[in-house]
């Protein structure tokens, strides 16, 4: 079964963000209750391309990792950011995010339909709040604000909103 760009993926994943008018898709009636965020990626190595499937269990705060051609499921309690050392949470996971998985720096390449909808749901609520906060900071700040606070890559791919 073919799933997105991954020839051996055993689960069905969608690629659309939802309705054109930006309304919440019908598949996910209550996005904040999504039990897992699912991402796909790949590694290039001496043995060729290896596909990796990553699930983040929101309620538990833990990860499950499956590697292509490997029957094992690796359960990882926590993953720390390779940049800051902070624990990775659901807000840090989006298409394009880089995380350290089993000692390899991995860029999350695709996500499931449910994850896309969860990301879109929270982006619609949190991005305007972040923008209002930055505007308030501008009122009182005499120095230029750091780029990480003011610039954000436009999310063109499904599930690519950076919620931090």
């Amino acid at each position: 079964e073919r799933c997105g760009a991954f020839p051996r993926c055993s689960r069905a994943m969608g690629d659309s963000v939802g309705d054109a008018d930006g309304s919440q898709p019908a598949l996910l009636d209550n996005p904040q209750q999504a039990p897992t965020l699912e991402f796909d990626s790949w590694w290039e190595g001496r043995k060729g391309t290896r596909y990796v499937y990553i699930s983040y269990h929101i309620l538990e705060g833990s990860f499950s990792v499956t590697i292509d051609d490997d029957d094992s499921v690796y359960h990882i309690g926590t993953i720390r950011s390779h940049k800051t050392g902070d624990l990775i949470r659901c807000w840090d996971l989006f298409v394009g995010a880089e995380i350290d998985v089993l000692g390899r720096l991995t860029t999350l390449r695709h996500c499931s339909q449910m994850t896309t909808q969860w990301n879109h749901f929270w982006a619609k609520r949190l991005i305007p709040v972040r923008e209002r906060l930055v505007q308030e900071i501008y009122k009182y700040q005499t120095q230029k604000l750091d780029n990480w606070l003011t610039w954000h890559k436009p999310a063109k791919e499904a599930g690519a909103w950076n919620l931090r």
Side-chain angles (χ1 to χ4, degrees):
E1 179 177 315
R2 187 165 176 84
C3 166
F6 304 104
R8 296 183 191 105
C9 180
S10 62
R11 62 184 165 233
M13 297 177 74
D15 0 297
S16 65
V17 176
D19 301 335
D21 65 356
S23 64
Q24 183 179 337
L27 177 62
L28 185 60
D29 294 329
N30 195 355
Q32 62 266 37
Q33 298 301 320
T36 60
L37 302 178
E38 296 178 334
F39 296 91
D40 293 345
S41 190
W42 58 87
W43 295 321
E44 297 292 337
R46 287 178 279 150
K47 296 181 181 179
T49 303
R50 302 282 311 264
Y51 297 100
V52 60
Y53 312 102
I54 303 162
S55 296
Y56 177 76
H57 309 280
I58 293 175
L59 299 176
E60 300 166 12
S62 64
F63 292 85
S64 295
V65 177
T66 306
I67 300 173
D68 198 22
D69 296 333
D70 186 353
D71 293 335
S72 300
V73 176
Y74 301 96
H75 299 283
I76 304 170
T78 59
I79 294 179
R80 294 197 171 271
S81 169
H82 68 284
K83 294 179 182 177
T84 64
D86 296 335
L87 291 177
I88 298 287
R89 302 281 184 211
C90 59
W91 315 110
D92 302 308
L93 299 172
F94 55 92
V95 172
E98 293 180 341
I99 62 173
D100 185 336
V101 177
L102 302 174
R104 289 186 172 253
L105 190 58
T106 305
T107 302
L108 303 178
R109 304 289 182 172
H110 299 106
C111 66
S112 67
Q113 178 70 28
M114 192 72 79
T115 301
T116 298
Q117 292 171 2
W118 184 92
N119 182 264
H120 184 71
F121 176 87
W122 285 108
K124 283 187 349 185
R125 284 148 185 81
L126 295 176
I127 301 297
V129 172
R130 178 173 58 198
E131 290 171 356
R132 286 195 309 267
L133 286 171
V134 168
Q135 290 300 325
E136 285 297 314
I137 291 172
Y138 271 135
K139 289 181 185 178
Y140 305 103
Q141 185 73 352
T142 58
Q143 298 174 341
K144 182 181 175 188
L145 295 175
D146 291 334
N147 285 341
W148 70 267
L149 188 58
T150 58
W151 184 84
H152 297 283
K153 178 182 173 185
K156 294 182 180 178
E157 297 179 52
W161 287 103
N162 182 351
L163 301 176
R164 276 279 177 201

